[in-house]
Amino acid sequence: RKQFILFPPSDWANIYSFSRFHPLNRQSQINFENGDFEDFADFPLYRSASPQIVTLEPGDILFIPPLWYHHVRTLDISFSVSSINRTSLIKPAFQFLYSKRFPRGFNEDGLVQFMNRIISYFFGKDPSLVIHDLIHVRYSEHKKSIWLPTIPKMENGNRKYCEGKRRILTPEEKLRKDMMVEHVKEAVEAFPEDARHLVLIDFIEEFLATQIPFADI
């Protein structure tokens, strides 16, 4: 027998997923084997997670939807076979999302407007709260243990970078920004609804990395 703990991709913040650039990307910082998920002091957002626990008996088959997080425990001596289906929906959607070459060096107004537009559209909340969750969940140091590798801290890196560079967007820059917004919206909407927040958060993290020098992070 095997026990699966499943989380929808919308739980990316509640299970403290690693950074897009971390070697353990797509994995949780919570050590489920050591009962970290019961330690709400270190992982308070986990209170809002929606785990689905399934125990597979001999002969059972389990379908895990695309981008869902899962943790597996072996309860007895067992043998299992897994098959990954490269769905015709997910791969083209990823390729389309990252198909445009986004320019480096957005001025502060352009960067903020671009982020505000796409975050407000998909999250329906204050964009600064979403960015706060991204930094807190993926870059703050949580429970220190041998299991948890060192995670770099992200400060307000774009502040220094943007000093003295604030200016009004030219008509060409505004048009380019609006076209980028529409491209991202169309691309993200091609994903299953419960995966859109995770896909967008990963995209934002990668996009910001092209705009902010690593010396400022």
Side-chain angles (χ1 to χ4, degrees), residues 5-19 24-32 36-37 39-40 42-52 67-71 133 136-138 142 147-148 151 198:
I5 307 177
L6 305 166
F7 298 90
S10 54
D11 265 341
W12 68 271
N14 298 328
I15 64 171
Y16 295 81
S17 61
F18 278 105
S19 161
L24 298 180
N25 174 38
R26 297 291 182 195
Q27 298 186 44
S28 171
Q29 299 175 39
I30 300 174
N31 188 343
F32 290 91
D36 281 357
F37 58 93
D39 191 348
F40 296 127
D42 283 331
F43 303 101
L45 295 181
Y46 187 76
R47 293 179 183 273
S48 300
S50 50
Q52 300 184 33
L67 302 177
W68 275 56
Y69 297 95
H70 59 280
H71 176 76
D133 286 346
H136 170 70
V137 167
R138 293 190 165 180
H142 297 294
W147 183 85
L148 180 62
I151 303 171
L198 171 63

Side-chain angles (χ1 to χ4, degrees), residues 87-204:
T87 171
S88 59
L89 170 66
I90 296 298
K91 187 174 181 179
F94 271 118
Q95 290 174 335
F96 181 62
L97 177 60
Y98 290 96
S99 63
K100 276 191 175 297
R101 181 181 292 277
F102 295 102
R104 286 183 59 89
F106 253 144
N107 66 74
E108 184 181 9
D109 283 337
L111 183 60
V112 170
Q113 290 178 31
F114 176 68
M115 289 290 115
N116 283 351
R117 287 272 298 278
I118 60 175
I119 293 174
S120 298
Y121 181 80
F122 284 103
F123 283 84
K125 60 192 291 189
D126 186 341
S128 65
L129 298 178
V130 177
I131 296 298
H132 173 272
D133 286 346
L134 167 61
I135 295 174
H136 170 70
V137 167
R138 293 190 165 180
Y139 289 93
S140 297
E141 289 188 89
H142 297 294
K143 188 170 184 179
K144 294 180 179 294
S145 67
I146 296 176
W147 183 85
L148 180 62
T150 302
I151 303 171
K153 286 187 175 181
M154 177 182 280
E155 307 294 341
N156 189 6
N158 63 333
R159 180 175 299 165
K160 172 184 171 185
Y161 177 60
C162 294
E163 283 179 358
K165 298 191 178 184
R166 187 178 182 85
R167 60 182 173 82
I168 298 175
L169 270 65
T170 65
E172 293 78 12
E173 287 173 329
K174 185 178 185 302
L175 177 62
R176 184 182 63 184
K177 181 209 66 179
D178 290 343
M179 291 176 63
M180 289 172 58
V181 168
E182 293 307 312
H183 172 83
V184 173
K185 286 165 60 175
E186 181 181 353
V188 174
E189 285 180 336
F191 288 87
E193 187 172 355
D194 64 354
R196 291 173 187 171
H197 285 185
L198 171 63
V199 170
L200 184 60
I201 282 294
D202 282 350
F203 171 80
I204 289 172

